[in-house]
Amino acid sequence: MTTTPGDVPMTAVDPERGRWTDRLLAEGDDPDPRFTLANERTFLAWIRTALAVIAAGIGLALSRDLLAAPARDALAVGFAATGALIAVLAFRRWLRTERALRRAETLPPPALAPIMSYGLAAAAVVLLVALLVT
């Protein structure tokens, strides 16, 4: 844990209380704040992406004239579920990266990127086929 010149801990934690924040802060040393803030900005970018994907699902659900009901509903549910998955994985990524920064370890690989890339490509193909069929 990093201390100030007066030996007062900068991060007051109680790992025995069991809160995930206390357990996280009890590991390793405080990293350079720039890295922690960059990690937070990346997390927020993934959260914005999750919100956009959920909004796309809502938009599809409300587009009565665009697609027939079964395809529209399936795509809407798929987009909303994907948005929820992105949000969960974004937090997991943030937590793993923050732990690695505190432990001075190699950062974890971006597991969310291929899921997003392939998932959105597959959704776009399904949407295109559904639009061409109707």
Side-chain angles (χ1 to χ4, degrees):
M1 189 178 310
T2 306
T3 58
T4 59
D7 288 336
V8 177
M10 292 178 67
T11 307
V13 297
D14 183 6
E16 298 302 318
R17 287 180 45 198
R19 290 185 7 206
W20 69 268
T21 52
D22 291 338
R23 290 192 311 269
L24 172 68
L25 296 174
E27 296 182 49
D29 295 319
D30 288 335
D32 185 328
R34 294 174 292 180
F35 300 132
T36 296
L37 293 173
N39 188 29
E40 184 177 340
R41 284 190 301 273
T42 303
F43 167 73
L44 293 173
W46 282 114
I47 292 298
R48 283 190 303 271
T49 302
L51 288 171
V53 172
I54 292 168
I58 293 169
L60 276 168
L62 297 175
S63 63
R64 303 265 182 238
D65 298 331
L66 185 62
L67 292 171
R72 180 186 64 236
D73 294 343
L75 282 169
V77 168
F79 271 86
T82 301
L85 178 66
I86 292 167
V88 168
L89 292 177
F91 178 75
R92 182 175 173 261
R93 166 108 174 117
W94 172 85
L95 188 60
R96 290 178 65 211
T97 301
E98 195 63 26
R99 261 195 202 116
L101 287 170
R102 294 189 65 78
R103 295 174 178 168
E105 296 174 349
T106 302
L107 297 180
L112 194 53
I115 292 170
M116 283 289 302
S117 299
Y118 294 128
L120 286 177
V125 168
V126 169
L127 182 58
L128 179 62
V129 168
L131 287 172
L132 291 173
V133 168
T134 56

